[in-house]
Amino acid sequence: MESITSPRWRYLLILLLLIGTCRFSDCYDPLDPNGNITVTFDILKYAPDGYVARVTIQNYYQYRHIEKPGWKLGWAWTRNEVIWSMSGAFAIQQGNCSSFKDQVPHSCKKDPVIADLMPDALPQNRSNSCCHGGILAAYAAHPSLSNTSFEVTVGNLEQNTPGYKPLNLSLMAPGPGYTCDQLMDTIPTVSSVIGGRREEQVLRTWKSTCTYSSYLANKTPVCCVSLSSFYNPKVTSCPSCSCGCNVSDRLPKSCIRDGSIPSDFPDVDIVRCTDHMCPLRIHWHIKNNYMDHWRVKLTVSNYNYRKNYSDWNILVQHPGFGRPASVYSFDSTMLPVIGVPEEVALFWGKPFYNTEILQADKDQLGSVTSEILLRKDSESFTLNSGWAFPRTIYFNGEICQMPLPDTFPMLPNDSHALHSQFLLHLIAVYLTYRTFVGF
Ligand SMILES: *[C@@H]1O[C@H](CO)[C@@H](O)[C@H](O)[C@H]1NC(C)=O
Ligand SMILES: *[C@@H]1O[C@H](CO)[C@@H](O)[C@H](O)[C@H]1NC(C)=O
Ligand SMILES: *[C@@H]1O[C@H](CO)[C@@H](O)[C@H](O)[C@H]1NC(C)=O
Ligand SMILES: *[C@@H]1O[C@H](CO)[C@@H](O)[C@H](O)[C@H]1NC(C)=O
Ligand SMILES: *[C@@H]1O[C@H](CO)[C@@H](O)[C@H](O)[C@H]1NC(C)=O
Ligand SMILES: *[C@@H]1O[C@H](CO)[C@@H](O)[C@H](O)[C@H]1NC(C)=O
Ligand SMILES: *[C@@H]1O[C@H](CO)[C@@H](O)[C@H](O)[C@H]1NC(C)=O
Ligand SMILES: *[C@@H]1O[C@H](CO)[C@@H](O)[C@H](O)[C@H]1NC(C)=O
C-alpha cells in the first residue's frame, strides 16, 4: 500500500480539507445534534389592555454556556404594546413614554431588549427562577442552572385582546451567533401543583428555538491541542497559526512577548506571542501504561492576559471513554451520542477549586489540570498509531485545532504504522469533524 505521506496522498488530503470546510453553509454539530436555546412565552393571565407573560429561556446545548456579561433578549412588538412592569429582568431602555400621563410604563420601546438582573436584586424585582446576571450553564454540566425566567406585564392593547406574538426575536449570548425562529403557538405549558396531584395549564404558549452558528459568531478558533507521551520525548505542539499569525494574516492579531502590557494599549483581549497565537492550549499527555489502566494528564493553559474563563468546559472525544474513567480534579460526565463512532466525555471545574481559568500574568500562564485514569479495553487499547490521543476536543463549545495525525508522537519503531488502516481511519474522523463543524 502506498504511504500516506506520499505527495499524492498529501494532495488528496489538502483537497479534502478544502472541500471539508463548510464556512458558508449551515453547519450542525454531530456531537450535539439537538442543541438549541428555547425561548417560551407563557401567557399566565389576561388584563383589560394586555396580558401577563412568563418568558423562559432554556439552554439545551450540552456543552455551550452563556457567560458574562450574560444574555440579552430582544423582540419587536406587533402593535403599540408597552411593558407596564417586569420582574426577574429589565428592559435596558425605557424609550419614549411621554404619551402616558397617569402611570409610566417600564418600557415603551417598539423593540425592547431585555437583560437579566444580578443575584443581589431586590426581592420585589425578582421572579421565581431568575437573577443570575445573564449566565446560563451548559445543560450537560448543570441542568438546574441552564434555565431562567422572568415575567412581563404587557399593555396598551385594545380591550379583550388575545395578544399578539412578538416578532423578530433576537438573542445575544452574549455576542452574536444565535438565530431564533419566529415564535409559534404550541401546546400550553402544563405544571403540576398540590404535590403533583393537580395539573395546571397556562392560557397560551408561544415558543421559538435559537441555534448557534460559529460562522455567524465570526469566531476565530479559540484553542489548539498539543500532545506528548511517556514513550517518546517528542512533543507535538499546536499547529502553527492555529488561531491567527503574522504571515498571510487574514485576521491580524496582536500579541505581546514579555507580559508587560503597554499602558496605552487599548482595552481588548491580548495574548502572549506564540506560534499558534491561540488564547487557550489544551495539552494531552499520555502519562502511564499499567496492566489494566492507563493514565492521561489533561491541562488547559490560558495565554490571554486579560480574560479569565469562568465555568469553562472541555469536551473530549476518545474511544477509551467507553470504559469507566476516574477524573481527579475536574467534574465530568459522558454525553449521550447517537451515530457517533467514538465516546464523548465532558469535563468542567470543581466548585470552589478550579471553575475559573485565570488569565496569564508576567510570570506564568493561567491553567487548570487533571489526571484521568482510564480502564483498558484489551480489544481496542493500543499505544500504536496514535490511538491513545484524542479525536476531537472542544473548549466551551468551540472546536480546537488538532495537529494532523501524521505528526503525533509515535511509539519507537511505529513509523511503519503509518501504513495502517487505523491511521487512515483517524484521518477520516478528523476530516469528518472538520466537515461538520469546520471553520
Ligand atoms: C430543542 O432541544 C430540545 C431538547 O434537546 C429538543 O427536544 C427540541 O426538539 C429542540 N428543538 C428543535 C427545534 O430542534
Ligand atoms: C415621543 O412621543 C410623543 C407622542 O407619541 C411624540 O409627540 C414625541 O415627538 C416623541 N418624542 C421623541 C423625542 O421622539
Ligand atoms: C425594582 O422594583 C422597584 C419597585 O417595584 C422599581 O421602582 C425598580 O425600578 C425596580 N428595579 C428594577 C431594576 O427593575
Ligand atoms: C429549569 O430546569 C430544571 C431542571 O431541568 C427544571 O426542574 C425547572 O423546572 C426548570 N425551570 C424552568 C423555569 O423551566
Ligand atoms: C422583522 O424583521 C424583518 C426582516 O428583517 C423586517 O422586514 C421587519 O420590519 C421586522 N419587523 C418588525 C416589527 O420590526
Ligand atoms: C508580527 O508582525 C509585526 C509587524 O510586522 C511585528 O511587530 C510583530 O512582532 C510580529 N509578531 C510576531 C509574533 O512575530
Ligand atoms: C481575573 O481574575 C483575577 C483574580 O481573580 C482578577 O485579579 C482579574 O482582574 C480578572 N481579570 C479580568 C479581566 O476580569
Ligand atoms: C527500532 O528500529 C531500529 C532500526 O530500524 C532497530 O535497531 C531497533 O532495535 C528497533 N527497536 C525496537 C525496540 O524494536
Side-chain angles (χ1 to χ4, degrees):
M1 190 181 145
E2 194 180 359
S3 162
I4 67 149
T5 48
S6 76
R8 208 163 71 97
W9 264 102
R10 292 235 172 224
Y11 174 76
L12 197 68
L13 268 181
I14 288 167
L15 199 72
L16 278 170
L17 286 177
L18 289 178
I19 299 167
T21 53
C22 59
R23 267 197 90 100
F24 300 103
S25 60
D26 229 351
C27 302
Y28 106 113
D29 185 348
L31 303 184
D32 191 6
N34 293 322
N36 66 67
I37 294 183
T38 301
V39 179
T40 309
F41 280 66
D42 287 318
I43 310 293
L44 303 179
K45 63 180 181 205
Y46 288 114
D49 72 335
Y51 55 89
V52 177
R54 179 180 59 218
V55 182
T56 305
I57 305 175
Q58 169 69 58
N59 180 14
Y60 284 118
Y61 277 106
Q62 300 283 343
Y63 46 85
R64 185 181 292 289
H65 69 301
I66 301 183
E67 57 186 342
K68 279 184 233 165
W71 54 264
K72 287 203 174 88
L73 184 70
W75 62 77
W77 292 122
T78 319
R79 307 287 165 105
N80 294 314
E81 289 96 333
V82 297
I83 300 175
W84 283 119
S85 64
M86 286 191 78
S87 60
F90 63 97
I92 61 172
Q93 286 176 306
Q94 185 171 28
N96 178 1
C97 291
S98 63
S99 56
F100 293 87
K101 300 286 180 301
D102 308 330
Q103 192 192 348
V104 182
H106 177 79
S107 174
C108 303
K109 290 283 287 184
K110 292 235 37 128
D111 49 356
V113 174
I114 311 300
D116 200 3
L117 292 165
M118 290 297 161
D120 61 0
L122 297 172
Q124 69 264 33
N125 298 99
R126 302 181 75 94
S127 63
N128 268 341
S129 143
C130 85
C131 314
H132 307 290
I135 294 169
L136 283 186
Y139 191 76
H142 303 288
S144 63
L145 299 176
S146 68
N147 57 25
T148 188
S149 70
F150 59 86
E151 283 185 25
V152 49
T153 304
V154 180
N156 201 35
L157 287 166
E158 67 274 26
Q159 294 286 311
N160 296 324
T161 176
Y164 307 94
K165 283 176 272 195
L167 298 172
N168 296 0
L169 211 59
S170 69
L171 179 68
M172 301 290 278
Y178 285 89
T179 313
C180 301
D181 299 343
Q182 291 294 354
L183 284 164
M184 301 288 264
D185 269 296
T186 59
I187 311 159
T189 305
V190 171
S191 54
S192 60
V193 292
I194 322 187
R197 290 163 59 213
R198 171 179 152 81
E199 286 187 338
E200 282 181 355
Q201 128 180 10
V202 301
L203 303 176
R204 207 172 162 187
T205 294
W206 300 319
K207 257 192 185 137
S208 163
T209 47
C210 306
T211 47
Y212 181 82
S213 144
S214 294
Y215 173 60
L216 281 181
N218 201 14
K219 282 247 176 92
T220 47
V222 293
C223 53
C224 60
V225 180
S226 58
L227 308 166
S228 61
S229 63
F230 67 86
Y231 52 75
N232 188 332
K234 173 180 173 180
V235 176
T236 300
S237 45
C238 280
S240 59
C241 299
S242 289
C243 304
C245 64
N246 258 5
V247 279
S248 73
D249 238 346
R250 279 175 305 143
L251 297 143
K253 275 217 161 168
S254 47
C255 64
I256 51 175
R257 275 174 209 292
D258 59 1
S260 47
I261 305 178
S263 55
D264 60 346
F265 199 85
D267 192 18
V268 292
D269 288 356
I270 175 87
V271 299
R272 178 177 294 190
C273 295
T274 51
D275 252 9
H276 53 77
M277 292 292 282
C278 292
L280 293 151
R281 187 194 65 180
I282 296 172
H283 188 80
W284 179 275
H285 175 66
I286 303 171
K287 194 174 174 189
N288 306 99
N289 181 19
Y290 308 111
M291 188 89 82
D292 300 324
H293 292 84
W294 57 296
R295 187 192 296 268
V296 164
K297 190 173 178 192
L298 184 64
T299 306
V300 189
S301 308
N302 184 0
Y303 287 77
N304 211 313
Y305 287 112
R306 284 211 183 129
K307 188 164 163 60
N308 301 318
Y309 290 87
S310 52
D311 302 313
W312 56 272
N313 66 60
I314 307 173
L315 173 139
V316 181
Q317 187 181 26
H318 195 290
F321 292 121
R323 289 306 192 86
S326 309
V327 184
Y328 294 98
S329 314
F330 299 158
D331 282 338
S332 66
T333 186
M334 296 297 299
L335 293 187
V337 279
I338 305 152
V340 174
E342 270 102 15
E343 275 76 13
V344 176
L346 187 70
F347 304 96
W348 64 93
K350 281 194 182 290
F352 309 110
Y353 178 51
N354 57 7
T355 55
E356 188 155 25
I357 310 176
L358 289 182
Q359 62 196 25
D361 63 25
K362 258 211 226 15
D363 307 314
Q364 59 180 0
L365 300 171
S367 78
V368 293
T369 187
S370 179
E371 296 199 349
I372 303 167
L373 187 66
L374 293 113
R375 187 174 297 170
K376 279 185 189 171
D377 174 3
S378 54
E379 303 266 290
S380 59
F381 178 83
T382 172
L383 290 172
N384 280 322
S385 310
W387 181 91
F389 293 115
R391 306 297 178 265
T392 33
I393 294 193
Y394 290 56
F395 182 86
N396 282 355
E398 301 291 334
I399 197 165
C400 299
Q401 303 291 299
M402 281 285 289
L404 268 176
D406 66 351
T407 63
F408 286 6
M410 287 292 167
L411 267 185
N413 288 5
D414 187 37
S415 58
H416 299 295
L418 277 178
H419 290 280
S420 77
Q421 285 294 325
F422 176 69
L423 193 64
L424 284 182
H425 169 70
L426 268 192
I427 292 175
V429 167
Y430 175 87
L431 289 172
T432 311
Y433 287 102
R434 265 194 86 105
T435 307
F436 279 125
V437 192
F439 285 93

